[in-house]
């Protein structure tokens, strides 16, 4: 019997399981519900600034989930990069392009039913893939920590360097595009005077 299987058998014998969750599991579930609610409000609100602020709540909830999974480094990266940088970039883009602050009828394309069907299908496919991939995987909670900075850094810079750099170039292009769009509006207004 492998150590992971022995640890799982010990946990089941100790009474830990689906019907008797620990405090961490309950907190994980509650934070997940709040994060899901914030994500739904993010995509359903008609006010762009409110959507950006609800996105902060959703991304912050994901950071809390990482903390509950004892992946502290990933949690702080989530806060610094996504909550700090991406949302600030999004808000600067909204301000520089002079997007409407209040309700915007242009923000609704009328395709909500189709979007809902696609979202539910994508969520079901994602849940099915994750459950199928990790069905027989057991995590040894008594073994070495997997979310440490060293392990995460080795994985990031060994396997994920290209997507990481591509994302930074994409964010830079979005910022430059926002500046160009705001400059076009300024030059048109000055030419009409």
């Amino acid at each position: 019997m492998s150590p992971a299987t022995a640890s799982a058998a010990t946990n089941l014998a100790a009474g830990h399981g689906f019907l008797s969750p620990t405090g961490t599991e309950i907190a994980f579930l509650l934070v997940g519900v709040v994060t899901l609610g914030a994500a739904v409000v993010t995509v359903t609100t008609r006010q762009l600034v409110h959507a950006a602020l609800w996105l902060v709540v959703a991304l912050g909830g994901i950071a809390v989930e990482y903390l509950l999974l004892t992946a502290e480094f990933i949690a702080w990266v989530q806060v610094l990069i996504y909550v700090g940088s991406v949302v600030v970039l999004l808000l600067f883009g909204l301000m520089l392009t002079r997007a409407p602050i209040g309700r915007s009828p242009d923000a609704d394309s009328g395709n909500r039913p189709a979007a809902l069907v696609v979202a539910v299908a994508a969520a079901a496919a994602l849940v099915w893939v994750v459950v199928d991939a990790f069905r027989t995987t057991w995590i040894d909670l008594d073994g070495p920590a997997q979310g440490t900075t060293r392990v995460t850094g080795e994985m990031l810079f060994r396997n994920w360097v290209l997507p990481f750099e591509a994302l930074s170039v994409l964010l830079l292009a979005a910022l430059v595009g926002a500046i160009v769009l705001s400059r076009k509006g300024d030059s048109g207004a000055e030419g009409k005077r």
Side-chain angles (χ1 to χ4, degrees):
M1 183 181 295
S2 70
T5 308
S7 176
T10 305
N11 284 341
L12 288 174
H16 297 293
F18 180 71
L19 297 177
S20 60
T22 64
T24 304
E25 292 168 340
I26 293 171
F28 188 86
L29 180 64
L30 293 176
V31 171
V33 168
V34 169
T35 303
L36 180 64
V40 168
V41 173
T42 299
V43 297
T44 57
T45 186
R46 294 176 189 242
Q47 297 185 3
L48 295 175
V49 175
H50 289 182
L53 295 175
W54 279 107
L55 182 63
V56 169
V57 174
L59 294 173
I62 293 172
V64 171
E65 297 284 37
Y66 283 131
L67 282 175
L68 291 171
L69 291 172
T70 66
E72 292 86 6
F73 176 71
I74 300 295
W76 291 117
V77 167
Q78 172 81 14
V79 169
L80 291 174
I81 293 179
Y82 288 105
V83 176
S85 303
V86 173
V87 174
V88 167
L89 180 67
L90 179 66
L91 289 173
F92 272 125
L94 288 173
M95 288 185 279
L96 289 174
T97 58
R98 295 191 183 116
I101 300 298
R103 290 188 177 269
S104 175
D106 298 335
D108 191 7
S109 67
N111 292 326
R112 286 181 185 253
L116 181 64
V117 168
V118 170
V120 168
L126 183 63
V127 167
W128 180 73
V129 166
V130 169
V131 167
D132 188 51
F134 296 106
R135 183 178 315 234
T136 60
T137 303
W138 292 95
I139 298 172
D140 183 16
L141 297 177
D142 297 327
Q146 296 295 316
T148 62
T149 308
R150 179 178 178 196
V151 172
T152 304
E154 287 175 358
M155 287 295 295
L156 177 66
F157 292 114
R158 186 172 293 144
N159 301 326
W160 299 100
V161 172
L162 186 60
F164 188 75
E165 291 302 319
L167 180 62
S168 66
V169 170
L170 178 69
L171 292 173
L172 178 64
L175 181 60
V176 169
I179 292 171
V180 167
L181 287 174
S182 71
R183 296 290 179 194
K184 283 184 181 178
D186 288 342
S187 65
E190 291 174 4
K192 291 181 182 178
R193 287 183 190 173

